[in-house]
Amino acid sequence: MAGRPRPQAHSSSASTRRRERWLVVLGIVLHAVYMLSIFDIYFKSPIVHGMAPVPPRLSAPPAKRLVLLVADGLRADKFFEPDERGRYRAPFLRGVIEEKGRWGVSHARPPTESRPGHVAIIAGFYEDPSAVTKGWKANPVEFDSVFNQSRHTISFGSPDIVPIFCSSLPHCTWGSYPHEYEDFATDASFLDHWSFDQFEGLLNRSLDDVKLRQLLLQDKLVIFLHFLGCDSNGHAHRPYSSIYLNNVKVVDEIAERMYNLMESYFNDNRTAYVFTADHGMSDKGSHGDGHPSNTDTPLVAWGAGIRSPKFLAYTDKPDDGFRFVDDHRHDMPTPQNWALEGFERVDVNQADIAPLMATLVGLPCPLNSVGNLPSHYLKLSKSDEVEAVLANTKQILNQFLRKSEQKQSSSLYFKPFKPLVNYSSVLDRIEDLISARDYKTAMKYSEELRIMALAGLHYFQTYDWFMLMTTITLGYIGWMANLILHVLQSYTTFPANLLKRTQVYPKNTSMKVYIGGCLFMGLSSIILLLEKSPPLYHAYVFMTIFLWTRIVQNYEFMKSAWRELFNMPFKYIMNLLISSVAALLILEFLVMSFFDRKLYTWCFLALGILASVCGAFSIEASPAVAIYTWLACWFLSVFTLMPAEIPENNNLVIFSGALIILIAMASRWATINTTTFWLYLNRANKQAPKSSMLFSVQVILISVSSIMVWLTTSHRSQHKELHPLHQLINWCVAGFAMALPLFSPCSVLSRLTSIFLGFAPPFLLLSIGYEAVFYSAFALVLMGWIFLESANLFCSEGSNSSCHSSLADGSVYGYDERCLQLSDLRIPLLFMILFNVAFFGTGNFASIASFEISSVYRFITIFSPFLMTALLIFKLFIPYMLVICTFSAITKIVRIPRIGCYFLVILLSDVMTIHFFFLVQNTGSWMEIGNSISHFGIVSAQVVFVLLLFALTNIYTKDIEVSSRQLTSRKFM
C-alpha cells in the first residue's frame, strides 16, 4: 500500500485543517461556558438578606413556648387510617383532633426529601435551587428560621437534620446520634426514643441546674424533636410493613409522653404543640417525587393559642379554586375510613407551618419565609388575627422590596413590578381600616397584598431570564450557523465564479467587521459592569457577539450562496426543505426518547420495514440484504422494552457468546466470498492464512470468556468471593482480546468483524443478563447499515463496467474524498439514532446508578469505587465504540470527509441541546431536576464526547482500506 499514490483529499489543505482545529476548540469552550448558564438562570438562590424582622403587634403572644415534633417519612394516610382490626394507630393524636386542637394535611412540594421538607417547615421557604451545586446537603446560603428568631431553641434528632438549623446558633442546645445508629437492618424506632430520652434527661438535669431551669422558663422557647424511625423503616421494610405501621404507634406514644412531660414540668397551659412530617413514603419505600403518598403529610396542632375542634354539620364543601404547591385542589374530600368528616379539616402548604409557629410564640416570621399564615388554626381576637396576617404580609413584602431595591440599584433600565408600584398606599389603607375596626376588609386587603408580593418575588427571581435565555439561544444559533458556513465552504462544491466573488470581499471588510464586533463587545461590557453583572454574564455575551461577528464577516459568501440557492432547480429546493423538516422531526423524536426509551421499539420496527423497502426497490440490492436488515432492526427493537434494571440471567450471557461466534462465522463467510458485491466491500483478501489464524484466536477467547462467565458466577455464588486465578484470567482475556483487532486485515468487513470480536470478551465478562444479547443485535444492525450503504454505492456506480477489472484486483486508490451532498445528511442522522440507542439500549447513561454494580464482580469484588465506576463506564462505552467504528468505515466507503460529518453530527446534536436547555427544571423531585440537568449536559458535551471517541476508535479504523471504482476527483453538489 505504501507505494500506491494517494490523491489529495478535498478537505486536507493546511488552512482547512487549521480552521477545523480552531472550530473544535471554539466548540469545546462555547459548550463549557453555556453549560454553566443553567446555574445562573434556573438555580439562582431566591434568598436575600438585609430585611428587618416584622414582629406581630399582638396584645400578648398566644403561647410562651412551642414544641415541634416531626416524624420523618410519615404518610398522612397511614397516620389517619385504622389498622386491619379497626383500631387507629395514633390514638393520642386522634384524641387531640377530636377534643383539643385542629388538624389537616400539610402539602409538601417536591423534592419531597428531608432537607427541603424541614427547611419549609422551620424556615418557611421551599428548596433553594442553588443547593444543587452542594449536593442538596449543605446550606448554599444562610437563611433565617423560627429557631433563629427564638430566644432559645432545644433540638435533638438526626445528624443529617438538626445541625442544618442549630450548628451555627449560639442560643441553641442540641444533640444528634452518630450516623452508625441509622442501621437499615434493624427496627429504627429506637432512634425516636433516643430523641425523647435526650430531652427528658435535659429536663431532669434542670432540676439541679439553676441556669438551665431559668433558660427553660424563658418565653419564646422552641423545642424541636426529630423522629427518623418511620423514614428508615419505610426505606428498609416499605410503608405497609408491620415495622413501619408499628412505628406510627411509637411516634404517637412519644407525642403523648412529650405532652404529659411538658404539662407536668411547666404546669401553666402556655405550651403550643405542632406535630407533622417532612414528607411521606411511596409503596416502594422511596420518596422525592410529587406523588400524593410523598407530598401528603399529617398536621396536628393543639395547646396554647390553637383553636378547639370545629364540628361540621355537613362535609360537602365547595372547591374555592385554591391550589396547593403540589397542585392538589383545596379541600379534597377526606377518606371515609379516616372517620374525621365531622371535624373541620384545614389543609396548608408545608411552608405555612413556619409563620404559624412564629405567631404562636409572638416571633417575627422568618425573614426568608414565603408561607401564608393559616389563621384558621389560631385562637386570637379579631384585631390580633388581622395584625398577625398583616405582619406576615409585611415580611413577604419586605423580601419583594429588598429584591426590587437590589435590582434597581444595578439596572440602567429598571422595569418595576407594576401591581405593587403603589404598595405604600395599600398599607396605609389597611392601617386605616384597622383603626376603624373594619377587620374583615383589612384582612381581605392584607391577603391580596400578600398574594401580589409573592408574585413580585417570582418576577424578580426570573428578572434576568429573558435576557440570559435570549443570549444563550442566539449563541447556540450563531454557533450552528458558523458550523453550516464551515461545512459549505470546506466540504461542498460551489461554482468557481461564486468562490472567486466571495474571496475578494472578506479581505476588505473583515477588519471593519471585527472592529465593529469589538466595539459592540466593549459597549456590552460597560453596560454589564454598570449593572454589576456576574463575570459569567460577560462570557455569555462576548461568546454570542463573537459568533455573530464571524457570521457577519461571511455576509458576502452567504449572499452569494443565497443567490445560488435560488438559481437551483425547484426540485432541489423542495428536497432541501423536506430533508430539513425530516431532520428536525427525527431530532425531536430523539429528544422524546430521553423520557421514554420504548419509543425506539417503534422506531426500529418502522426502520426495519423502511430500510428493507428502500434496499429492495430504491437501491435494488439483493433480497437477502433487504430481509437481513429488516430482521436485524426488528431484533434490536425488543431491547428497549426490557426493564432498565437488568435482571441477572447468566444463561443469556453464555447464549450471547455462542451467538457472537455464529455472527462472526457468517461475516467470515462474507469476507472470503468471491461475488462482485462482497469484493466491493472486502477487497481481494491476500492475507487469508494470517486472518484465519487471528479469527480462530478471537473465537477461542470468546469461548473462554463464556466459560469464565459460568465458572466465576458459580464459584462466587458458592464461596462469596472471586478466586484470584479467575480474576487474572478475566483481566488477561479482556485485555488481550481488545488488542487483536489491530492485527486484522484492513478490508472493511474483516476489520469491523475483528473489532466486534475484540470487544465481545470484556463486554460478556461485564454482563449479567440481556445486555449481552443486545451487543449482538446492535452489531447486526450496524452491519446492515454498512450493507445498505455499500449496496447503494455499488448500484449507483454499476453502469461503469470498466471498473470491474480493477475491483477484482482489489485495487485501492487511497481516500479520494468527494464533497458532501444533501443526501449525505442521512449518515449523521442515522449515526445520531444509533448513538442514542447505544445510550438507552440497556439502561440510562444519564445515571450510572441505573446500572447493576454486580456486573463488575467478575473482575473485582473488593469495594473500590474508582475502579468499579471505571469498569461500568467502560462497559457503557463499548456500544459507542462499535457505532463510531462503523460510522468511520461508512465515511470511507462512500468517500466523504469524516470531520465534515463530525461537524454535521455536532450541528444536529445542538438542535437537541437548545431543546433540552428549555427543558431544564428547578422544581420537582431531585431525580427530575437531576435528569433535566444531565440530559442538557450530556447533549452539550457531545462536542467533546464524540470527538474523544473518534480519536479513540481511530486507532482501529485508520488503516481501513476500501475498494475503489477508480473514482477520481469527481465531486457532486
Side-chain angles (χ1 to χ4, degrees):
M1 278 304 300
R4 294 189 182 274
R6 290 180 179 267
Q8 182 68 29
H10 181 66
S11 60
S12 61
S13 69
S15 61
T16 300
R17 286 198 302 270
R18 219 170 22 247
R19 193 159 63 244
E20 286 169 351
R21 286 194 293 267
W22 183 89
L23 202 59
V24 168
V25 172
L26 175 64
I28 293 171
V29 173
L30 176 137
H31 286 80
V33 171
Y34 282 178
M35 206 182 298
L36 297 174
S37 67
I38 60 171
F39 298 103
D40 282 320
I41 298 173
Y42 296 101
F43 300 102
K44 206 164 190 176
S45 176
I47 298 172
V48 288
H49 300 98
M51 298 84 65
V54 184
R57 297 178 300 192
L58 305 176
S59 55
K64 189 175 181 180
R65 66 196 67 86
L66 169 78
V67 174
L68 171 63
L69 307 175
V70 178
D72 201 307
L74 177 57
R75 275 168 59 156
D77 57 347
K78 300 302 180 186
F79 175 79
F80 290 116
E81 70 186 15
D83 59 21
E84 63 279 357
R85 293 181 292 179
R87 299 176 181 175
Y88 293 99
R89 300 187 182 98
F92 168 73
L93 290 170
R94 189 172 183 86
V96 167
I97 293 171
E98 295 174 351
E99 301 170 7
K100 292 187 177 72
R102 307 287 275 176
W103 77 285
V105 172
S106 170
H107 297 268
R109 189 181 84 170
T112 44
E113 301 283 352
S114 294
R115 180 192 182 279
H118 283 88
V119 169
I121 293 168
I122 299 168
F125 68 91
Y126 300 103
E127 180 60 88
D128 183 346
S130 66
V132 70
T133 60
K134 297 284 186 78
W136 306 103
K137 293 293 183 184
N139 297 327
V141 179
E142 287 303 316
F143 55 84
D144 191 28
S145 71
V146 173
F147 297 174
N148 293 49
Q149 298 290 346
S150 69
R151 198 177 304 279
H152 198 86
T153 294
I154 299 171
S155 177
F156 297 102
S158 167
D160 293 322
I161 297 301
V162 172
I164 291 177
F165 302 94
C166 300
S167 60
S168 61
L169 285 185
H171 58 277
C172 186
T173 302
W174 63 280
S176 61
Y177 41 79
H179 279 285
E180 292 76 24
Y181 280 27
E182 300 174 9
D183 186 355
F184 288 104
T186 63
D187 181 352
S189 60
F190 77 94
L191 299 176
D192 303 343
H193 288 290
W194 184 95
S195 298
F196 174 77
D197 292 343
Q198 295 298 309
F199 178 71
E200 185 179 37
L202 184 139
L203 289 189
N204 292 335
R205 288 198 305 274
S206 71
L207 300 176
D208 301 321
D209 188 332
V210 177
K211 288 185 177 180
L212 179 58
R213 182 167 179 81
Q214 289 177 344
L215 182 149
L216 290 169
L217 293 176
Q218 295 179 104
D219 63 347
K220 298 179 173 55
L221 176 70
V222 177
I223 300 162
F224 167 48
L225 298 187
H226 175 258
F227 306 137
L228 188 66
C230 287
D231 184 74
S232 295
N233 285 329
H235 287 310
H237 309 288
R238 308 295 183 266
Y240 45 79
S241 65
S242 58
I243 292 180
Y244 179 91
L245 298 176
N246 182 69
N247 208 144
V248 179
K249 299 178 182 179
V250 170
V251 169
D252 179 74
E253 291 170 0
I254 294 175
E256 182 178 15
R257 291 174 62 191
M258 187 70 181
Y259 173 73
N260 293 332
L261 180 66
M262 293 292 294
E263 294 304 310
S264 63
Y265 184 90
F266 294 101
N267 196 27
D268 58 0
N269 294 321
R270 296 293 309 281
T271 307
Y273 303 86
V274 174
F275 174 88
T276 188
D278 54 349
H279 57 75
M281 182 75 62
S282 73
D283 288 340
K284 295 181 179 179
S286 62
H287 51 82
D289 61 24
H291 190 274
S293 63
N294 291 327
T295 60
D296 290 357
T297 61
L299 174 62
V300 181
W302 74 100
I306 301 295
R307 292 185 184 184
S308 300
K310 180 179 179 181
F311 183 76
L312 300 177
Y314 61 91
T315 58
D316 295 326
K317 295 186 289 182
D319 181 5
D320 63 6
F322 179 77
R323 288 182 177 271
F324 293 98
V325 288
D326 56 351
D327 207 32
H328 287 184
R329 288 183 301 164
H330 185 50
D331 287 333
M332 291 291 286
T334 301
Q336 290 187 355
N337 66 339
W338 293 7
L340 290 172
E341 296 93 335
F343 301 91
E344 184 181 38
R345 164 183 165 183
V346 183
D347 287 9
V348 300
N349 285 323
Q350 194 172 59
D352 299 343
I353 298 174
L356 170 65
M357 295 191 299
T359 304
L360 281 170
V361 285
L363 297 173
C365 291
L367 297 177
N368 309 114
S369 170
V370 294
N372 298 321
L373 177 66
S375 56
H376 291 292
Y377 278 83
L378 294 168
K379 184 169 65 177
L380 298 172
S381 63
K382 287 293 182 183
S383 61
D384 280 354
E385 185 177 347
V386 173
E387 290 289 359
V389 171
L390 180 59
N392 178 215
T393 298
K394 287 180 177 178
Q395 169 264 321
I396 296 175
L397 184 64
N398 282 349
Q399 292 182 76
F400 162 80
L401 295 175
R402 180 61 178 158
K403 284 198 170 188
S404 177
E405 177 188 340
Q406 287 180 344
K407 185 55 64 177
Q408 187 173 10
S409 66
S410 62
S411 296
L412 296 179
Y413 175 66
F414 177 68
K415 294 178 288 184
F417 184 63
K418 293 182 180 179
L420 285 179
V421 170
N422 298 317
Y423 74 93
S424 57
S425 61
V426 179
L427 285 176
D428 292 340
R429 174 68 173 156
I430 293 171
E431 296 290 353
D432 292 341
L433 290 168
I434 293 175
S435 299
R437 299 181 183 275
D438 187 354
Y439 301 126
K440 184 177 181 180
T441 308
M443 181 75 77
K444 177 185 174 184
Y445 276 109
S446 296
E447 290 175 344
E448 289 176 352
L449 182 59
R450 183 173 60 193
I451 292 171
M452 282 294 100
L454 289 170
L457 286 176
H458 179 73
Y459 171 80
F460 284 113
Q461 182 67 18
T462 59
Y463 188 87
D464 292 330
W465 277 26
F466 180 77
M467 183 275 288
L468 288 174
M469 297 185 83
T470 302
T471 301
I472 301 302
T473 304
L474 285 174
Y476 276 120
I477 294 172
W479 160 250
M480 291 190 291
N482 274 278
L483 282 181
I484 293 171
L485 288 172
H486 176 70
V487 170
L488 287 175
Q489 292 172 341
S490 302
Y491 308 111
T492 61
T493 300
F494 280 93
N497 57 349
L498 183 151
L499 292 176
K500 288 178 181 178
R501 287 199 305 268
T502 57
Q503 290 297 324
V504 178
Y505 295 98
K507 294 179 182 178
N508 300 327
T509 61
S510 60
M511 186 58 68
K512 295 179 181 178
V513 172
Y514 277 124
I515 291 173
C518 290
L519 290 175
F520 193 23
M521 284 185 188
L523 179 62
S524 302
S525 180
I526 292 170
I527 293 172
L528 291 172
L529 286 172
L530 290 175
E531 293 195 343
K532 301 174 184 176
S533 299
L536 276 176
Y537 282 31
H538 295 258
Y540 306 146
V541 173
F542 284 6
M543 192 74 71
T544 301
I545 293 173
F546 175 75
L547 290 168
W548 282 94
T549 300
R550 284 184 50 81
I551 294 171
V552 173
Q553 183 195 3
N554 287 281
Y555 170 73
E556 293 297 334
F557 176 82
M558 291 188 295
K559 189 168 68 172
S560 300
W562 187 258
R563 276 199 309 266
E564 191 68 24
L565 180 63
F566 272 92
N567 292 331
M568 292 286 184
F570 177 75
K571 181 180 178 181
Y572 180 86
I573 295 175
M574 286 303 299
N575 285 340
L576 178 62
L577 291 174
I578 291 171
S579 300
S580 301
V581 171
L584 284 174
L585 290 175
I586 290 171
L587 294 174
E588 285 304 303
F589 169 84
L590 294 178
V591 170
M592 293 167 59
S593 71
F594 274 70
F595 304 97
D596 185 6
R597 60 196 285 264
K598 293 179 181 177
L599 289 173
Y600 284 110
T601 297
W602 297 104
C603 171
F604 277 91
L605 288 175
L607 202 58
I609 297 173
L610 183 63
S612 60
V613 170
C614 289
F617 297 101
S618 300
I619 301 175
E620 298 181 1
S622 67
V625 171
I627 293 171
Y628 166 82
T629 308
W630 185 355
L631 294 178
C633 288
W634 280 31
F635 184 26
L636 185 62
S637 70
V638 174
F639 291 90
T640 44
L641 293 175
M642 302 286 190
E645 296 80 16
I646 301 172
E648 285 204 39
N649 190 331
N650 288 301
N651 292 329
L652 275 180
V653 181
I654 296 168
F655 165 76
S656 180
L659 181 60
I660 289 169
I661 294 173
L662 287 175
I663 294 171
M665 291 174 67
S667 178
R668 175 72 177 167
W669 170 84
T671 303
I672 61 176
N673 196 290
T674 57
T675 59
T676 307
F677 172 67
W678 297 118
L679 283 176
Y680 185 74
L681 261 182
N682 300 318
R683 305 177 57 239
N685 197 337
K686 298 183 174 64
Q687 303 175 6
K690 179 181 176 182
S691 63
S692 179
M693 183 182 298
L694 179 66
F695 178 80
S696 301
V697 171
Q698 289 188 301
V699 168
I700 291 171
L701 287 177
I702 292 171
S703 302
V704 170
S705 63
S706 297
I707 293 170
M708 293 306 299
V709 166
W710 172 79
L711 192 61
T712 54
T713 303
S714 60
H715 187 84
R716 181 168 54 86
S717 65
Q718 294 172 5
H719 299 90
K720 305 300 181 183
E721 64 180 54
L722 184 65
H723 196 286
L725 178 61
H726 295 168
Q727 184 178 2
L728 178 63
I729 293 173
N730 291 340
W731 280 103
C732 291
V733 167
F736 186 55
M738 288 187 293
L740 289 180
L742 297 173
F743 305 98
S744 62
C746 297
S747 60
V748 176
L749 267 185
S750 296
R751 178 55 61 90
L752 290 181
T753 302
S754 185
I755 292 171
F756 168 65
L757 291 173
F759 283 102
F763 197 84
L764 289 175
L765 291 169
L766 287 168
S767 297
I768 61 170
Y770 73 81
E771 81 273 32
V773 187
F774 168 81
Y775 181 81
S776 299
F778 192 56
L780 288 173
V781 170
L782 293 175
M783 197 58 68
W785 185 20
I786 290 179
F787 289 163
L788 286 177
E789 290 291 348
S790 300
N792 180 39
L793 188 64
F794 179 78
C795 296
S796 66
E797 299 174 357
S799 59
N800 189 356
S801 59
S802 64
C803 298
H804 287 275
S805 60
S806 66
L807 177 61
D809 293 335
S811 58
V812 178
Y813 286 82
Y815 305 102
D816 183 25
E817 294 171 345
R818 62 172 174 82
C819 289
L820 291 171
Q821 306 176 89
L822 180 60
S823 60
D824 293 328
L825 186 62
R826 73 186 183 280
I827 295 175
L829 279 172
L830 280 170
F831 172 81
M832 292 287 291
I833 293 172
L834 292 167
F835 199 77
N836 279 273
V837 170
F839 192 96
F840 288 111
T842 58
N844 179 4
F845 189 79
S847 176
I848 297 298
S850 71
F851 294 90
E852 182 57 51
I853 192 67
S854 63
S855 62
V856 304
Y857 286 168
R858 297 188 188 103
F859 289 93
I860 182 172
T861 54
I862 300 172
F863 183 68
S864 174
F866 178 79
L867 183 56
M868 287 179 166
T869 303
L871 286 170
L872 273 177
I873 293 175
F874 172 70
K875 174 191 174 183
L876 304 179
F877 274 2
I878 290 176
Y880 295 110
M881 302 280 280
L882 291 186
V883 73
I884 290 186
C885 286
T886 305
F887 177 77
S888 299
I890 286 175
T891 59
K892 290 189 175 185
I893 290 170
V894 299
R895 294 176 179 82
I896 56 176
R898 188 175 69 159
I899 190 68
C901 280
Y902 162 74
F903 285 127
L904 287 178
V905 167
I906 299 306
L907 174 67
L908 296 173
S909 68
D910 278 334
V911 175
M912 297 171 60
T913 302
I914 292 177
H915 194 141
F916 281 119
F917 174 67
F918 287 96
L919 291 180
V920 174
Q921 59 186 80
N922 56 4
T923 58
S925 70
W926 288 0
M927 181 177 292
E928 291 166 340
I929 295 170
N931 281 345
S932 71
I933 296 172
S934 64
H935 291 164
F936 171 71
I938 286 170
V939 179
S940 296
Q942 283 194 8
V943 67
V944 179
F945 184 57
V946 176
L947 186 68
L948 290 176
L949 286 176
F950 270 141
L952 192 60
T953 56
N954 193 53
I955 299 172
Y956 294 100
T957 60
K958 65 180 179 180
D959 296 330
I960 289 180
E961 297 170 350
V962 293
S963 298
S964 173
R965 284 185 170 270
Q966 294 185 356
L967 293 173
T968 55
S969 298
R970 290 183 297 165
K971 319 260 191 242
F972 303 92
M973 173 56 199

